[in-house]
Amino acid sequence: MATVTLKGIKKIYPLSDDDKKKGKKGLFKKHEEEIEHEEKVNLQITDQGTVAVQEFNLDIADKEFIVLVGPSGCGKSTTLRMIAGLETISEGELYIDGQLVNNKPPKDRDIAMVFQNYALYPHMSVYDNLAFALKIRKTPKDIIDKKVRDAAEILGITEYLHRKPKALSGGQRQRVAIGRAIVREPQVFLMDEPLSNLDAKLRNQMRAEIIKLRQRIDTTFIYVTHDQTEAMTLGDRIVIMKDGFIQQIGTPYEVFHHPANLFVAGFIGTPQMNFFKTELAEENGQYYVPLFGVKFPMDAAHMEQIKEKGIKPQEITMGIRPEDVSICYEGGVEATVDVCEMMGSSLHIHTTIEDKEIVVIAQSKELPEDKQLGFAHGDKIRLHFDGHVLHLFGLDEKNLF
Amino acid sequence: MLSDRRKNIAIFLLPSLVMLIVTVVVPLLYSFATSFFSLDLKYKGWGEFVGLGNYFSALKDQYFMGSIKTTVIFSVIVVAIEFIVGFAIALLFNTNVKGKNFFFSIVIIPMMITPVAVGLTWRLLLHSTLGVVNWFLSLLGIAGKAWLADNATALATVIFIDVWQQISYMVLVLLAGLVSLPKEPYEAASIDGASKWQSFKFITMPLMAPTFLVAILLRLITAFKTYDLIYVLTKGGPGTSTEVVSYYIYKTAFTHLKTSKAAAMSFILLIILIPVSYIATRILKNRNEG
Ligand SMILES: Nc1ncnc2c1ncn2[C@@H]1O[C@H](COP(=O)(O)OP(=O)(O)OP(=O)(O)O)[C@@H](O)[C@H]1O
Ligand SMILES: [Mg+2]
């Protein structure tokens, strides 16, 4: 049993002494400049410090696998470190197993963690790194030995057991970091981008190992990643964050098929969802989306919701996933091919319609034989999309449905 | 022809090179040569060539051997106390105690005073009739002592004063080591369930080991060469109870005027210290590369 509950969690990193000396004004100024020059930095800097995470509410069920995703700097590690007890919680309450643990030190929380920066013990061999937690718990020597060797076997680091971390590659260090967590049987596993430094093959292999580990130990996992495949395949539920705020919590299916807002829609799925600024219009009670001179009618399911929620015709951003666009030979809209990427069984076709870019995924074997290897620059194709696969977002960027 | 760059380097190095040769290399070679003759300041000239005779006579000199023994006792005790107390203070400064900066400045002050001034100050403080220490003890009903003139307390008193002055060096070096330790292993250890004490034992101590060794060895070398404090405080007395080797060499050269023998003794001292400094530099080098 280990549920984890986060209630209104907020994290403010206090200003460093340097920042204080520069003065609040200087800091704000710098912040504004940053916004001008770089991509948007929406983190709030108040007189108390940098707000890294706020209004974080999440109920994690026992044995659930939660994945935190979001762009760099959105507060994923901070959240994880608060759960671990490595960062103080500025506001809100954290319960593990129903117990308030805000002030409990990490060692009393019974958690294992894979650190984003590995945090290996530099002076210990790989073997001792793996064995440390067990030694602290006074586990008998033969059991330690077995567990360490088993973990090393799973991770493929047996031959490095006697080496110091200094003499390992990044990927090998990362596997040691994972190993240090999996020799234990904690209440909660916290993993901060544990596979980020592995090559594609090893990453797939390790992902499978994590799934196996979960079946074997069957406990609560909180997992941070940048990788969509990991998020989709591992997570029972995915938490998408941006600038310290939760954007959506949902199953992989929900966040993919029903993104709560524009950000989630754009963040989940590769290639990215196509977006068009247009409107939701009405004609004789039937709603439709005009685009490229074509009226895309809303299907019955959408119409029902429109009636139920009383949605009015309005300006919208329409989104459609590349896999939901199909190539047709009659009707639809004509598009010009820019670039065509051959991905193996499928093609990613970048096209333009009236200066707007739209990406299409086509299954290679469903195309005419002469096009199976791809289209040439300048080729004309016709594209079609159904009303039921359209995602509509209002001016507030929220999903209309 | 030298390239311009090399010429520039040579030009800039030249002044310090000349200084080093004149003040270090020449005297060193001169005294090394001296140690093989029977040079005596009472007579003119270098005397006759005696080979290793001065070295043998130094090793047979019971006062010389006695002074080495005193030096070893002095150095070991001084360094041990400075290390243990210094590390404790460094650990304290490495936490977030209040008023840290203020106390830190106080700890650093003794290091900035020259040993002669320290010696004179303490001689006054410890003066048997006029000193503050005995006056203060009398207030507590404890009979004062001639701390530096008593065979039983002279060495201990000198040790105390040396610790008082030199401990700041230990604190500085060890604190620098502590501050530069990586933070991550401590986080990992707390996740792994280690208590504060276990983190200290399994992480701080092993990671600090090279710093410990270097600090101890370097301080041992300077302790072994202690001279000025002894000169000001006791002149090696009472009897020979605080006669450390540097002071005895000085006495041999400038009181007994046996220059050659003193030179031989200096080189014996050097031979004792070379391995120590060699080990220290090796560790430092390893650490910088690691
Ligand atoms: N110790 C700190 N002091 C001040 N600000 C911090 C500190 N640690 C993190 N931050 C800030 O808090 C925000 C969230 O950081 P965090 O490390 O949680 O991001 P992340 O989502 O894990 O990013 P990444 O994917 O790059 O690891 C960032 O803007 C960061 O600059
Ligand atoms: Mg992170």
Side-chain angles (χ1 to χ4, degrees):
Chain A
M1 248 275 290
T3 58
V4 179
T5 307
L6 298 99
K7 254 195 206 156
I9 295 284
K10 182 171 185 177
K11 174 68 190 181
I12 305 175
Y13 284 110
L15 295 174
S16 69
D17 290 346
D18 277 356
D19 290 340
K20 271 183 204 151
K21 264 179 221 149
K22 265 187 244 151
K24 236 167 38 187
K25 271 197 190 129
L27 204 66
F28 277 121
K29 218 194 230 156
K30 190 177 152 229
H31 188 61
E32 278 158 20
E33 276 167 20
E34 261 171 24
I35 291 176
E36 270 179 41
H37 294 303
E38 295 166 26
E39 78 268 43
K40 49 197 156 91
V41 182
N42 268 335
L43 285 182
Q44 286 178 16
I45 298 183
T46 65
D47 39 357
Q48 293 150 23
T50 317
V51 184
V53 174
Q54 50 191 321
E55 292 172 30
F56 199 106
N57 290 297
L58 179 64
D59 266 310
I60 303 175
D62 187 24
K63 298 176 184 173
E64 195 174 22
F65 200 120
I66 288 283
V67 176
L68 302 182
V69 291
S72 192
C74 70
K76 306 180 296 290
S77 297
T78 304
T79 308
L80 211 62
R81 289 169 57 84
M82 281 191 285
I83 298 173
L86 297 170
E87 297 288 350
T88 53
I89 295 169
S90 313
E91 264 175 44
E93 288 157 7
L94 171 69
Y95 298 88
I96 295 180
D97 227 358
Q99 259 192 324
L100 186 70
V101 294
N102 279 37
N103 295 319
K104 252 195 192 181
K107 74 179 176 69
D108 299 330
R109 294 191 188 188
D110 196 16
I111 42 176
M113 178 160 175
V114 181
F115 288 80
Q116 185 167 14
N117 55 10
Y118 319 143
L120 302 178
Y121 306 119
H123 56 294
M124 295 184 200
S125 66
V126 170
Y127 186 101
D128 290 330
N129 264 281
L130 297 187
F132 188 74
L134 302 173
K135 275 186 192 155
I136 293 284
R137 288 183 172 65
K138 305 227 162 22
T139 315
K141 273 226 168 64
D142 48 327
I143 296 180
I144 294 183
D145 192 63
K146 187 172 175 330
K147 286 194 167 183
V148 168
R149 284 183 194 286
D150 285 351
E153 189 67 33
I154 290 174
L155 299 164
I157 50 174
T158 307
E159 55 189 305
Y160 313 120
L161 277 178
H162 62 278
R163 285 208 204 161
K164 294 266 173 69
K166 201 167 63 181
L168 298 178
S169 75
Q172 290 160 348
R173 286 181 207 183
Q174 190 155 42
R175 280 179 278 161
V176 177
I178 299 173
R180 208 167 45 180
I182 67 177
V183 293
R184 296 183 41 200
E185 283 168 24
Q187 297 225 38
V188 184
F189 267 109
L190 305 178
M191 299 192 166
D192 198 346
E193 307 196 22
L195 309 181
S196 59
N197 238 322
L198 306 181
D199 62 53
K201 184 171 161 240
L202 207 49
R203 192 183 288 209
N204 286 341
Q205 222 171 307
M206 288 302 135
R207 205 172 60 221
E209 288 301 340
I210 288 176
I211 294 173
K212 274 195 230 163
L213 171 75
R214 189 189 171 196
Q215 285 162 356
R216 181 162 60 84
I217 300 184
D218 198 19
T219 180
T220 311
F221 278 74
I222 305 174
Y223 189 103
V224 170
T225 181
H226 273 127
D227 184 311
Q228 304 219 356
T229 328
E230 278 170 35
M232 292 301 209
T233 53
L234 292 173
D236 291 332
R237 279 194 298 162
I238 298 178
V239 178
I240 296 141
M241 297 177 67
K242 182 192 163 203
D243 300 334
F245 286 100
I246 294 182
Q247 302 293 310
Q248 186 173 6
I249 304 173
T251 62
Y253 185 90
E254 281 165 5
V255 298
F256 187 81
H257 291 283
H258 197 265
N261 57 32
L262 263 182
F263 174 78
V264 175
F267 190 78
I268 299 287
T270 40
Q272 221 194 20
M273 188 184 276
N274 300 296
F275 293 113
F276 306 98
K277 280 224 167 297
T278 170
E279 57 175 337
L280 181 63
E282 191 218 320
E283 209 175 63
N284 307 328
Q286 172 63 40
Y287 281 65
Y288 66 92
V289 176
L291 195 64
F292 309 126
V294 181
K295 292 174 180 174
F296 294 94
M298 293 283 100
D299 63 353
H302 275 123
M303 281 310 297
E304 211 167 285
Q305 285 201 50
I306 286 171
K307 284 206 190 92
E308 232 170 68
K309 296 186 184 164
I311 296 171
K312 298 264 167 324
Q314 57 186 291
E315 273 182 57
I316 56 156
T317 300
M318 189 207 87
I320 180 151
R321 295 209 180 273
E323 46 272 66
D324 291 334
V325 184
S326 47
I327 297 176
C328 57
Y329 301 95
E330 283 162 24
V333 191
E334 189 181 69
T336 314
V337 174
D338 272 338
V339 184
C340 189
E341 297 169 309
M342 177 68 198
M343 307 300 289
S345 60
S346 65
L347 292 170
H348 292 182
I349 312 165
H350 298 252
T351 68
T352 43
I353 306 175
E354 297 169 10
D355 289 341
K356 299 225 169 62
E357 282 182 39
I358 172 162
V359 181
V360 182
I361 300 183
Q363 293 306 312
S364 177
K365 63 181 177 202
E366 289 167 7
L367 293 170
E369 237 165 78
D370 60 324
K371 299 295 184 197
Q372 286 193 353
L373 288 178
F375 293 86
H377 177 80
D379 277 0
K380 305 280 183 201
I381 55 175
R382 301 197 75 80
L383 301 178
H384 170 77
F385 18 95
D386 287 333
H388 78 274
V389 292
L390 302 182
H391 302 269
L392 309 186
F393 304 94
L395 283 180
D396 59 355
E397 304 199 342
K398 295 226 167 70
N399 200 326
L400 284 185
F401 299 105
Chain B
M1 275 298 282
L2 288 173
S3 72
D4 271 0
R5 199 184 131 71
R6 281 170 162 264
K7 228 186 263 170
N8 278 339
I9 292 175
I11 289 171
F12 280 108
L13 279 182
L14 205 64
S16 48
L17 205 67
V18 170
M19 282 299 285
L20 270 179
I21 290 173
V22 172
T23 60
V24 177
V25 181
V26 170
L28 205 68
L29 291 177
Y30 186 84
S31 72
F32 189 59
T34 314
S35 71
F36 297 105
F37 290 83
S38 61
L39 194 152
D40 188 319
L41 283 185
K42 290 196 288 290
Y43 309 105
K44 226 175 139 194
W46 278 58
E48 40 188 286
F49 180 79
V50 293
L52 289 175
N54 287 319
Y55 289 85
F56 289 129
S57 95
L59 291 175
K60 270 184 257 167
D61 180 344
Q62 56 162 328
Y63 289 107
F64 179 61
M65 297 314 275
S67 74
I68 288 184
K69 194 178 139 199
T70 309
T71 311
V72 169
I73 294 172
F74 171 81
S75 305
V76 168
I77 295 180
V78 155
V79 175
I81 297 175
E82 284 170 16
F83 172 69
I84 294 169
V85 180
F87 188 43
I89 295 175
L91 282 174
L92 211 68
F93 280 137
N94 195 34
T95 59
N96 288 324
V97 287
K98 277 215 178 111
K100 191 161 84 168
N101 292 342
F102 175 71
F103 285 109
F104 189 71
S105 334
I106 291 184
V107 168
I108 296 308
I109 288 174
M111 206 173 79
M112 298 188 281
I113 311 173
T114 80
V116 175
V118 169
L120 290 173
T121 311
W122 276 100
R123 230 171 66 181
L124 282 176
L125 291 174
L126 290 169
H127 194 280
S128 54
T129 48
L130 305 170
V132 172
V133 174
N134 281 351
W135 169 77
F136 188 73
L137 288 176
S138 73
L139 291 185
L140 299 173
I142 302 169
K145 245 183 180 318
W147 299 98
L148 287 166
D150 190 322
N151 245 326
T153 55
L155 187 60
T157 308
V158 171
I159 286 175
F160 171 82
I161 295 169
D162 189 80
V163 168
W164 179 86
Q165 183 180 23
Q166 301 287 345
I167 196 155
S168 40
Y169 164 82
M170 232 10 141
V171 174
L172 267 188
V173 174
L174 296 180
L175 184 60
L178 285 174
V179 169
S180 65
L181 288 183
K183 302 276 171 295
E184 295 85 15
Y186 291 93
E187 296 189 336
S190 67
I191 296 279
D192 274 345
S195 62
K196 279 251 159 61
W197 164 245
Q198 284 167 323
S199 284
F200 178 75
K201 190 166 104 186
F202 295 123
I203 296 175
T204 308
M205 290 306 272
L207 285 181
M208 282 294 287
T211 312
F212 287 164
L213 264 174
V214 169
I216 288 172
L217 290 179
L218 290 183
R219 182 67 194 101
L220 260 183
I221 292 171
T222 51
F224 225 82
K225 297 188 302 187
T226 304
Y227 163 77
D228 28 21
L229 204 62
I230 301 290
Y231 179 84
V232 176
L233 285 174
T234 63
K235 296 225 163 30
T240 58
S241 60
T242 60
E243 192 163 85
V244 292
V245 67
S246 292
Y247 188 75
Y248 184 68
I249 292 173
Y250 159 82
K251 229 166 76 177
T252 309
F254 298 106
T255 312
H256 306 157
L257 302 181
K258 295 199 184 309
T259 317
S260 282
K261 193 175 164 191
M265 290 175 179
S266 301
F267 280 95
I268 293 174
L269 182 61
L270 186 66
I271 289 164
I272 298 174
L273 291 181
I274 281 175
V276 184
S277 67
Y278 176 74
I279 297 170
T281 41
R282 276 291 294 274
I283 297 168
L284 265 179
K285 217 175 131 214
N286 273 345
R287 196 175 57 164
N288 287 343
E289 282 163 6

PDB file of all heavy atoms in Angstrom, chain B residues 136-147:
ATOM      1  N   PHE B 136      44.381  35.406  36.356  1.00  0.00           N
ATOM      2  CA  PHE B 136      43.047  34.855  36.168  1.00  0.00           C
ATOM      3  C   PHE B 136      42.876  33.556  36.955  1.00  0.00           C
ATOM      4  O   PHE B 136      41.867  33.353  37.637  1.00  0.00           O
ATOM      5  CB  PHE B 136      42.798  34.601  34.673  1.00  0.00           C
ATOM      6  CG  PHE B 136      41.385  34.212  34.373  1.00  0.00           C
ATOM      7  CD1 PHE B 136      40.365  35.152  34.419  1.00  0.00           C
ATOM      8  CD2 PHE B 136      41.056  32.897  34.068  1.00  0.00           C
ATOM      9  CE1 PHE B 136      39.066  34.795  34.161  1.00  0.00           C
ATOM     10  CE2 PHE B 136      39.752  32.532  33.805  1.00  0.00           C
ATOM     11  CZ  PHE B 136      38.757  33.491  33.843  1.00  0.00           C
ATOM     12  N   LEU B 137      43.945  32.710  36.910  1.00  0.00           N
ATOM     13  CA  LEU B 137      43.878  31.445  37.655  1.00  0.00           C
ATOM     14  C   LEU B 137      43.769  31.709  39.150  1.00  0.00           C
ATOM     15  O   LEU B 137      43.050  31.004  39.866  1.00  0.00           O
ATOM     16  CB  LEU B 137      45.117  30.589  37.358  1.00  0.00           C
ATOM     17  CG  LEU B 137      45.142  29.973  35.958  1.00  0.00           C
ATOM     18  CD1 LEU B 137      46.444  29.245  35.725  1.00  0.00           C
ATOM     19  CD2 LEU B 137      43.964  29.016  35.772  1.00  0.00           C
ATOM     20  N   SER B 138      44.472  32.760  39.616  1.00  0.00           N
ATOM     21  CA  SER B 138      44.424  33.066  41.050  1.00  0.00           C
ATOM     22  C   SER B 138      43.005  33.440  41.472  1.00  0.00           C
ATOM     23  O   SER B 138      42.576  33.159  42.581  1.00  0.00           O
ATOM     24  CB  SER B 138      45.407  34.188  41.390  1.00  0.00           C
ATOM     25  OG  SER B 138      44.895  35.423  40.905  1.00  0.00           O
ATOM     26  N   LEU B 139      42.288  34.083  40.555  1.00  0.00           N
ATOM     27  CA  LEU B 139      40.892  34.410  40.866  1.00  0.00           C
ATOM     28  C   LEU B 139      40.082  33.146  41.111  1.00  0.00           C
ATOM     29  O   LEU B 139      39.146  33.118  41.890  1.00  0.00           O
ATOM     30  CB  LEU B 139      40.260  35.194  39.714  1.00  0.00           C
ATOM     31  CG  LEU B 139      40.766  36.619  39.471  1.00  0.00           C
ATOM     32  CD1 LEU B 139      39.938  37.279  38.384  1.00  0.00           C
ATOM     33  CD2 LEU B 139      40.710  37.430  40.765  1.00  0.00           C
ATOM     34  N   LEU B 140      40.451  32.091  40.389  1.00  0.00           N
ATOM     35  CA  LEU B 140      39.737  30.821  40.533  1.00  0.00           C
ATOM     36  C   LEU B 140      40.312  29.989  41.670  1.00  0.00           C
ATOM     37  O   LEU B 140      39.900  28.854  41.899  1.00  0.00           O
ATOM     38  CB  LEU B 140      39.827  30.020  39.228  1.00  0.00           C
ATOM     39  CG  LEU B 140      39.210  30.688  37.992  1.00  0.00           C
ATOM     40  CD1 LEU B 140      39.509  29.868  36.753  1.00  0.00           C
ATOM     41  CD2 LEU B 140      37.714  30.868  38.169  1.00  0.00           C
ATOM     42  N   GLY B 141      41.351  30.550  42.333  1.00  0.00           N
ATOM     43  CA  GLY B 141      41.945  29.839  43.445  1.00  0.00           C
ATOM     44  C   GLY B 141      42.962  28.805  43.023  1.00  0.00           C
ATOM     45  O   GLY B 141      43.313  27.902  43.769  1.00  0.00           O
ATOM     46  N   ILE B 142      43.427  28.904  41.787  1.00  0.00           N
ATOM     47  CA  ILE B 142      44.444  27.967  41.317  1.00  0.00           C
ATOM     48  C   ILE B 142      45.789  28.667  41.340  1.00  0.00           C
ATOM     49  O   ILE B 142      45.920  29.803  40.874  1.00  0.00           O
ATOM     50  CB  ILE B 142      44.138  27.495  39.885  1.00  0.00           C
ATOM     51  CG1 ILE B 142      42.751  26.833  39.847  1.00  0.00           C
ATOM     52  CG2 ILE B 142      45.208  26.525  39.392  1.00  0.00           C
ATOM     53  CD1 ILE B 142      42.250  26.564  38.458  1.00  0.00           C
ATOM     54  N   ALA B 143      46.800  27.978  41.906  1.00  0.00           N
ATOM     55  CA  ALA B 143      48.115  28.583  41.984  1.00  0.00           C
ATOM     56  C   ALA B 143      48.728  28.679  40.604  1.00  0.00           C
ATOM     57  O   ALA B 143      48.670  27.732  39.825  1.00  0.00           O
ATOM     58  CB  ALA B 143      49.010  27.755  42.901  1.00  0.00           C
ATOM     59  N   GLY B 144      49.302  29.840  40.305  1.00  0.00           N
ATOM     60  CA  GLY B 144      49.931  30.037  39.005  1.00  0.00           C
ATOM     61  C   GLY B 144      51.246  29.292  38.911  1.00  0.00           C
ATOM     62  O   GLY B 144      51.711  28.641  39.857  1.00  0.00           O
ATOM     63  N   LYS B 145      51.850  29.375  37.748  1.00  0.00           N
ATOM     64  CA  LYS B 145      53.063  28.630  37.473  1.00  0.00           C
ATOM     65  C   LYS B 145      53.945  29.463  36.571  1.00  0.00           C
ATOM     66  O   LYS B 145      53.472  30.359  35.879  1.00  0.00           O
ATOM     67  CB  LYS B 145      52.674  27.364  36.700  1.00  0.00           C
ATOM     68  CG  LYS B 145      52.928  26.070  37.420  1.00  0.00           C
ATOM     69  CD  LYS B 145      52.559  24.957  36.461  1.00  0.00           C
ATOM     70  CE  LYS B 145      52.748  23.647  36.990  1.00  0.00           C
ATOM     71  NZ  LYS B 145      53.325  22.834  37.581  1.00  0.00           N
ATOM     72  N   ALA B 146      55.242  29.127  36.533  1.00  0.00           N
ATOM     73  CA  ALA B 146      56.092  29.702  35.498  1.00  0.00           C
ATOM     74  C   ALA B 146      56.013  28.737  34.323  1.00  0.00           C
ATOM     75  O   ALA B 146      56.850  27.870  34.145  1.00  0.00           O
ATOM     76  CB  ALA B 146      57.521  29.843  35.983  1.00  0.00           C
ATOM     77  N   TRP B 147      54.946  28.892  33.551  1.00  0.00           N
ATOM     78  CA  TRP B 147      54.595  27.884  32.546  1.00  0.00           C
ATOM     79  C   TRP B 147      55.734  27.530  31.608  1.00  0.00           C
ATOM     80  O   TRP B 147      55.937  26.367  31.284  1.00  0.00           O
ATOM     81  CB  TRP B 147      53.396  28.376  31.720  1.00  0.00           C
ATOM     82  CG  TRP B 147      52.184  28.600  32.579  1.00  0.00           C
ATOM     83  CD1 TRP B 147      51.746  29.779  33.086  1.00  0.00           C
ATOM     84  CD2 TRP B 147      51.291  27.601  33.034  1.00  0.00           C
ATOM     85  NE1 TRP B 147      50.627  29.597  33.843  1.00  0.00           N
ATOM     86  CE2 TRP B 147      50.318  28.269  33.821  1.00  0.00           C
ATOM     87  CE3 TRP B 147      51.213  26.224  32.878  1.00  0.00           C
ATOM     88  CZ2 TRP B 147      49.268  27.582  34.443  1.00  0.00           C
ATOM     89  CZ3 TRP B 147      50.171  25.553  33.490  1.00  0.00           C
ATOM     90  CH2 TRP B 147      49.211  26.231  34.269  1.00  0.00           C
TER      91      TRP B 147
END
